[in-house]
Amino acid sequence: MVSEHSDATDDETSPLALKILVAGGFGVGKTTMVGAVSEIRPLRTEELLSEAGQLVDDTDGVDQKVTTTVAMDFGRITIRSGLSLYLFGTPGQDRFWFLWDELSQGALGAVVLADTRRLEDCFPAVDYFEHRHIPFVVAVNCFAGARAYGAQDVSRALDLDQGTPVVLCDARNRDSGKEVLIRLVEYAGRMHTARLLDSVS
């Protein structure tokens, strides 16, 4: 005999939390993006730039920057009911890259922020995610006064794999950042589904 009261109904869904990395070069806007989209007070691990750091940190083009992330940024955003993203902003300088392996464990995908004035700074992040087969989108942070480039121009300059999304954004704007994250979740979902199908075919 079937009970009239089931422990679960078809329309019930478990909350889903996905881990997303926000990566890129020094001073590209990672902390800004995490802070702009986060619905909770973001965790930041920033320290003041010091004279000692001038020997290893290239601040050309970001002369106004006075702090730097030394571990990670953390924030959370709800995309829709039952779906939240946990955002981990990675440190940009070479000497902190050893943290990336820990931060990338279990990540659905990544946003690689790019600054067209220092486009070469995002090459290491692109290489990192490509070699580890972690889906990513490139988000061009459109700084005031910087020369404007189209998505196709940036894709060619970075020699991205065909199909890797490139989007233009303003890291300071919540709606703009949210659109980037939605694009990443959709793209990563397609990539993971395709890999799953390949593994069972």
Side-chain angles (χ1 to χ4, degrees):
M1 181 174 182
V2 178
S3 171
E4 294 181 4
H5 301 286
S6 177
D7 291 335
T9 60
D10 292 339
D11 60 351
E12 283 181 343
T13 56
S14 299
L16 181 62
L18 304 174
K19 182 179 183 181
I20 301 295
L21 299 188
V22 180
F26 177 65
V28 76
K30 301 179 295 295
T31 298
T32 299
M33 172 173 272
V34 172
V37 301
S38 181
E39 62 199 16
I40 61 172
R41 183 177 180 179
L43 167 68
R44 293 180 171 139
T45 58
E46 289 196 304
E47 295 293 339
L48 290 173
L49 291 172
S50 64
E51 290 185 9
Q54 291 177 357
L55 300 175
V56 289
D57 295 330
D58 179 13
T59 58
D60 185 38
V62 286
D63 309 78
Q64 304 302 314
K65 188 170 176 61
V66 296
T67 61
T68 185
T69 299
V70 295
M72 68 174 186
D73 301 307
F74 174 77
R76 186 190 71 209
I77 179 174
T78 300
I79 297 297
R80 59 170 171 75
S81 178
L83 175 59
S84 297
L85 304 183
Y86 289 161
L87 308 175
F88 293 81
T90 66
Q93 300 99 308
D94 301 13
R95 64 185 186 278
F96 296 127
W97 283 349
F98 68 92
L99 294 169
W100 286 34
D101 288 338
E102 288 293 329
L103 291 175
S104 65
Q105 291 294 320
L108 174 78
V111 173
V112 175
L113 271 178
D115 178 352
T116 57
R117 301 169 302 178
R118 298 157 52 103
L119 196 58
E120 66 280 2
D121 289 1
C122 73
F123 274 113
V126 168
D127 289 342
Y128 182 91
F129 297 121
E130 282 185 343
H131 287 133
R132 287 160 181 79
H133 305 291
I134 297 174
F136 68 95
V137 301
V138 173
V140 180
N141 193 7
C142 299
F143 287 90
R147 181 179 172 185
Y149 291 90
Q152 289 297 325
D153 295 327
V154 173
S155 181
R156 283 193 296 269
L158 294 176
D159 193 26
L160 298 176
D161 291 339
Q162 186 174 5
T164 302
V166 177
V167 293
L168 308 181
C169 74
D170 181 345
R172 303 166 299 179
N173 183 279
R174 187 176 194 274
D175 289 338
S176 181
K178 186 175 180 179
E179 286 301 316
V180 170
L181 295 170
I182 291 173
R183 184 77 177 272
L184 170 62
V185 170
E186 292 173 344
Y187 174 66
R190 292 195 301 272
M191 293 294 290
H192 285 293
T193 299
R195 290 171 187 170
L196 180 61
L197 292 175
D198 284 343
S199 69
V200 297
S201 61

